[in-house]
């Protein structure tokens, strides 16, 4: 797999029916090892181990529904009263983080109305804080530690 711009962690990989699988410690199961999943697992470990995000407040592959349309957020951080606080969208390392990625995460935010949006392809990471009063968002220089959210 790709070397990412994220800290290493103790990766658990297995094989099932000829497919490589990686352990998702939030879902507590092995999932298909795709380039996007590689980024997700590294990023979630980074948030928990280096930024102090509580493991119990993070969820992977969260389904949303708008009418009959179903959407799936890559990861969501909830606050202590189980309200979504941050949406995280991952792309494979070879996928550039362009406007369409922001459009995708913004569509999720029309439903959830979170405080933070974060995107990463494992090489680059962008985090912005929403300002609903002034109808804009502010890009942050770094991903905030959990205690500063």
């Amino acid at each position: 797999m790709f070397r990412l711009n994220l800290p290493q962690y103790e990766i658990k990989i297995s094989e099932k029916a000829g497919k490589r699988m990686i352990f998702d410690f939030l879902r507590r199961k092995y999932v298909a090892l795709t380039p996007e999943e590689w980024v997700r697992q590294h990023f979630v470990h980074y948030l928990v181990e280096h930024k102090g995000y509580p493991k119990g407040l993070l969820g992977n592959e969260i389904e949303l529904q708008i009418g009959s349309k179903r959407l799936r957020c890559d990861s969501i951080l909830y606050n202590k009263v189980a309200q979504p606080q941050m949406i995280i969208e991952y792309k494979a390392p070879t996928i550039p983080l362009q406007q369409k990625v922001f459009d995708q995460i913004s569509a999720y935010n029309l439903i959830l109305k979170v405080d933070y949006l974060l995107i990463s392809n494992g090489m680059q990471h962008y985090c912005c804080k929403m300002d609903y009063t002034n109808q804009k968002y502010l890009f942050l220089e770094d991903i905030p530690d959990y205690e500063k959210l």
Side-chain angles (χ1 to χ4, degrees), residues 58-72:
L58 284 162
N60 285 339
E61 293 288 325
I62 305 300
E63 190 172 284
L64 306 175
Q65 189 168 347
I66 303 175
S68 63
K69 187 174 182 179
R70 295 185 185 278
L71 304 172
R72 183 160 296 174

Side-chain angles (χ1 to χ4, degrees), residues 114-127:
V114 299
D115 296 328
Y116 296 90
L117 301 177
L118 201 157
I119 63 172
S120 176
N121 64 5
M123 305 306 288
Q124 295 177 295
H125 328 291
Y126 295 101
C127 184

